[in-house]
Amino acid sequence: MHQAIPYRTCLTAGTRDLPLAGKANGVDPANVIRMVSENAVIIIGRRGCCLCHVVKRLLQGLGVNPPVYEFDENHEAAVAGQLSTHACCGGDTVQFPAVFVGGKFFGGLERVMATHISGELVPILKDAGALWL
């Protein structure tokens, strides 16, 4: 007979999700800047955000496996403050989900979708070192 496979609400196969933000979880929101500079592409957003999932799936479809930095809603102001004061954002106010490419603020879902549709996203990802095609 066949054995049933247990149902899970989230799949972790092949993803590199980063720990949740907040000192209670062992990660200081100040480390966000370090993670942005260490990864060619990174997605930062609220835990369980469906838009983060859409951006991640779009990038995975192009061959990029971006890490996702998720934080609880009560840490949103601290994470946004850290990103807004750093040079990677150019002083802009960060809205989530935020996508960083090559250590610089790229935009949110709307900008990622627009550059993908126009055909400009793949060359940007190649220049950042996220794609080797």
Side-chain angles (χ1 to χ4, degrees):
M1 296 290 308
H2 295 286
Q3 187 175 6
I5 299 172
Y7 176 76
R8 287 191 277 167
T9 58
C10 71
L11 297 175
T12 58
T15 62
R16 300 177 310 163
D17 291 340
L18 298 173
L20 295 172
K23 292 192 180 210
N25 296 321
V27 179
D28 186 9
N31 291 333
V32 174
I33 302 299
R34 180 183 52 81
M35 287 187 281
V36 166
S37 63
E38 289 178 354
N39 293 289
V41 177
I42 186 169
I43 302 167
I44 300 175
R46 289 182 207 96
R47 181 167 68 175
C49 175
C50 61
L51 298 178
C52 288
H53 180 73
V54 170
V55 172
K56 181 178 174 181
R57 287 298 204 180
L58 174 67
L59 293 172
Q60 284 177 335
L62 295 173
V64 178
N65 190 18
V68 177
Y69 181 80
E70 296 180 326
F71 55 85
D72 291 324
E73 288 183 29
N74 54 347
H75 293 105
E76 181 175 355
V79 173
Q82 286 291 325
L83 293 173
S84 296
T85 59
H86 194 264
C88 65
C89 295
D92 294 336
T93 303
V94 177
Q95 294 182 349
F96 299 106
V99 180
F100 291 83
V101 177
K104 296 179 183 173
F105 179 62
F106 185 72
L109 174 63
E110 187 173 316
R111 172 107 193 267
V112 173
M113 292 292 288
T115 54
H116 173 62
I117 291 169
S118 68
E120 300 170 6
L121 184 58
V122 171
I124 291 170
L125 294 172
K126 285 182 185 178
D127 291 342
L131 281 176
W132 292 278
L133 298 176

